[in-house]
């Protein structure tokens, strides 16, 4: 089962391999640590377009003219015209087939330094993606990999918390107290501040997954009818990895697409 925490060894020779999609809107910046983007690393982007278009009703477009860093490697997924995710063509077959979540930061380099000082690792150092922003891949002390996004012209999600869009990121970890301390220090306002409305939880790996599963982030997409969505996943060639179960934030089922990238369906 492919998952984000599978490797702190994940590397890319192409900085565009983790580039979020463009948007021309400029909403107010979220607090540091708010999930702001997701992308999937896939061997076959055309197959990904068929799968996620059929499941969520997404439409797709190639990188826009002048965005040489992402053109040809990334397609932008939109719902009702708003950017919701990206599908990224893997440039190295050794890279995992995986969904990744990116957290907003006003300063990716400074945040990467704090992550390293807190016992985490820098997988891909902060680097610009044209004028879209600055990105990095990092890992927490247990090896769960996540992304950082410092916005330029692309602030992140154009739409979220609607059916077919991002709704939650759950970190499955071996030590929830240590995870709360690590992420609470990094992202205190987003998680515990007076105006916090977190889309990011922490749970023990063994509560859902077998003991050999490494710590990882699981991206959740909202659906109106989980049973119907599971049927669509199967029809499109995907698999149910963990049957539906209840959580404090809604009903969840873990699935994978027809290339093995795992994600969750969330019904509230």
């Amino acid at each position: 089962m492919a998952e984000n925490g599978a490797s702190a060894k994940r590397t890319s020779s192409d900085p565009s391999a983790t580039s979020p999609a463009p948007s021309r809107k400029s909403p107010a910046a979220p607090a540091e640590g708010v999930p702001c983007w997701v992308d999937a690393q896939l061997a076959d982007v055309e197959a990904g377009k068929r799968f996620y278009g059929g499941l969520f009703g997404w439409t797709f477009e190639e990188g826009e003219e002048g965005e040489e860093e992402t053109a040809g490697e990334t397609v932008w997924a939109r719902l009702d015209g708003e950017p919701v995710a990206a599908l990224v063509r893997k440039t190295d077959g050794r890279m995992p087939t995986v969904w990744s979540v990116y957290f907003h930061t006003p300063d990716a380099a400074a945040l990467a330094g704090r992550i390293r000082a807190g016992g985490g690792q820098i997988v891909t150092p902060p680097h610009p993606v044209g004028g879209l922003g600055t990105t990095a891949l990092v890992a927490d002390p247990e090896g769960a990999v996540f992304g950082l996004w410092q916005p330029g012209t692309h602030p992140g999600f154009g739409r979220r918390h609607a059916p077919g869009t991002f709704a939650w990121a759950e970190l499955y970890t071996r030590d929830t107290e240590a995870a709360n301390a690590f992420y609470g220090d990094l992202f205190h306002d987003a998680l515990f501040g007076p105006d916090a409305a977190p889309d990011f939880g922490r749970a023990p790996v063994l509560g859902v997954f077998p003991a050999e599963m490494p710590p990882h982030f699981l991206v959740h997409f909202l659906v109106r009818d989980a049973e119907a969505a599971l049927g669509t996943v199967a029809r499109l060639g995907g698999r149910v990895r963990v049957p539906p179960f209840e959580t404090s934030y809604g009903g969840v089922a873990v699935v994978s697409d027809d290339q093995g990238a795992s994600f969750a369906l969330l019904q509230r």
Side-chain angles (χ1 to χ4, degrees):
M1 176 177 177
E3 33 62 44
N4 293 37
S7 176
K9 300 177 182 177
R10 173 176 170 181
T11 59
S12 172
S13 60
D14 181 356
S16 71
T18 56
S19 58
S23 174
R24 301 310 179 199
K25 294 188 175 181
S26 298
E32 186 167 56
V34 171
C36 67
W37 193 246
V38 292
D39 69 18
Q41 298 274 339
L42 302 174
D44 188 339
V45 168
E46 289 302 314
K49 289 162 67 175
R50 291 191 293 271
F51 182 90
Y52 291 102
L55 179 59
F56 295 134
W58 292 351
T59 58
F60 301 92
E61 63 182 33
E62 297 290 337
E64 297 180 7
E65 185 177 357
E67 286 156 0
E68 293 85 358
E69 293 83 358
T70 59
E73 299 297 335
T74 300
V75 296
W76 321 131
R78 295 182 180 270
L79 187 64
D80 298 330
E82 298 291 347
V84 295
L87 305 182
V88 182
R89 187 172 291 104
K90 293 200 296 185
T91 57
D92 186 335
R94 294 169 295 181
M95 294 170 64
T97 301
V98 65
W99 276 98
S100 298
V101 60
Y102 294 77
F103 293 90
H104 171 84
T105 176
D107 189 333
L111 179 55
R114 288 160 47 210
I115 288 167
R116 186 186 290 109
Q121 303 174 55
I122 309 304
V123 181
T124 303
H127 58 271
V129 185
L132 299 177
T134 299
T135 189
L137 276 181
V138 298
D140 69 17
E142 288 196 342
V145 175
F146 59 100
L148 311 180
W149 184 246
Q150 177 184 331
T153 59
H154 172 52
F157 295 120
R159 207 171 168 194
R160 60 194 294 164
H161 300 154
T165 71
F166 171 86
W168 191 262
E170 189 77 350
L171 170 64
Y172 285 98
T173 179
R174 303 212 184 282
D175 188 336
T176 54
E177 290 187 9
N180 283 339
F182 178 78
Y183 290 98
D185 181 60
L186 289 180
F187 303 143
H188 181 271
D189 288 348
L191 291 174
F192 306 118
D195 299 320
D199 291 329
F200 166 29
R202 282 76 60 206
V205 168
L206 291 177
V208 175
F209 297 101
E212 61 269 21
M213 177 67 73
H216 65 283
F217 280 89
L218 184 66
V219 172
H220 292 51
F221 295 103
L222 192 66
V223 294
R224 289 190 178 90
D225 184 332
E227 183 176 353
L230 288 171
T232 302
V233 166
R235 176 175 60 79
L236 293 169
R239 294 180 60 186
V240 177
R241 299 293 184 174
V242 181
F245 60 97
E246 290 299 318
T247 73
S248 61
Y249 54 90
V252 173
V254 183
V255 300
S256 61
D257 65 22
D258 55 347
Q259 299 182 64
S262 294
F263 59 98
L265 303 174
L266 173 62
Q267 181 177 342
R268 286 173 163 162

